[in-house]
Amino acid sequence: MTDGIDTATTDAYLRRLGVERPARPTLDALRELHLRHLRTVPFENLSVHLGEEIVLDEKRLLDKVVEARRGGFCYELNGAFGALLTALGYDVTLLAARVYGEGGRLGIPYDHLALRVRTEGGGDWLADVGFGSHFHLPLAVGERGEQRDPAGVFRVAEAEADAAGVRGGHEAADAADLDVLRDGRPVYRLETRPRTLADFTAGAWWHRTSPHSHFTRSLVCSRVTEDGGRITLSGRRLTRTAPDGTRQERETGSDAEVLGIYRDEFGITTDAVPTVRGGGTGG
């Protein structure tokens, strides 16, 4: 999926995550990398509202995540993480997904980018560090039973026909779309056909510009905390969610306080407080 990233960039990425370079591409190492990514690199859409360009180019994504120490949304976070995993010897495939919305309706094509990762020994795992509140540890792609995770009970199931009567693939079980469910509710529908980063350009553009995209209507910065909870800054509302799901919310005050939270809780330094620009920002 990649031409490869150099050793210096790989080492800098690992330093940001606070992990040592794994000796081999094992499942245990993947689990550690996945969890550390969720704790360290925030899911955020600040670029949408700061008027920053979002380009799905591997070097640009790595520059943002590693050099600028920013986060991003799915295309950026999973794009960068996939490049890191490939550099560490994992076999990585980019997969497209459509997110379930209100009324069980599926979102646009290329709505979401996730990763299928093959570890040493041949196991296939679903990795996703770019969905916000989601599983903390990779899911076994081939497992059809319940998979317990700190974030809930997940399941990967063969998808039924969609509104157009299509199951995906070519009606073969191993090519059919897969539904990823959390606590019994479908989260997104995953296609199993390999994709390239450039395939997601239209989806990223839509999410960055459309008035119907939740990314243009709201401002979010969020990460998993060390105790397995979550901290989220939505506009000026700060929410701390404990591992048991209890929430503490408060409105922040001055611009200086908001900028301090971005800096101290998410490692993001910015000169101006982002504000929601609304949909139709152009592209």
Side-chain angles (χ1 to χ4, degrees), residues 183-202:
D183 297 330
R185 297 174 61 89
V187 178
Y188 54 62
R189 177 163 292 193
L190 196 68
E191 298 177 6
T192 57
R193 175 182 173 182
R195 300 293 183 181
T196 68
L197 191 57
D199 290 337
F200 295 87
T201 300

Side-chain angles (χ1 to χ4, degrees), residues 136-156:
H136 292 188
L137 300 168
L139 301 180
V141 175
E143 172 60 51
R144 296 292 174 261
E146 293 183 343
Q147 301 188 54
R148 297 191 175 273
D149 182 89
V153 178
F154 290 81
R155 190 160 63 88
V156 179

Side-chain angles (χ1 to χ4, degrees), residues 4 26 36 39 93 96-97 133 159 162 165 173 181 264 269 272 277:
T26 63
R36 287 304 307 167
R39 290 176 175 173
T93 302
S133 181
D162 64 13
L181 299 93
D264 299 336
T269 301
R277 300 176 65 189

Side-chain angles (χ1 to χ4, degrees), residues 66-95:
V66 179
E67 299 300 325
R69 303 184 73 81
R70 284 281 303 278
F73 56 2
C74 70
Y75 312 104
E76 301 171 285
L77 296 180
N78 284 324
F81 189 49
L84 173 66
L85 294 177
T86 300
L88 296 175
Y90 292 94
D91 182 2
V92 179
T93 302
L94 306 187
L95 300 179

Side-chain angles (χ1 to χ4, degrees), residues 103-116:
R105 291 189 297 272
L106 288 167
I108 64 168
Y110 301 100
D111 200 9
H112 180 64
L113 188 163
L115 305 172
R116 184 174 63 217

Side-chain angles (χ1 to χ4, degrees), residues 3 38 46 64 83-84 91 93 101 114 116 119 138 145-146 156 214 220 242 249 256 267:
D3 294 329
L38 292 171
L46 274 62
K64 183 175 182 179
L84 173 66
D91 182 2
T93 302
R116 184 174 63 217
T119 58
E146 293 183 343
V156 179
H214 59 273
V220 65
E249 298 184 8

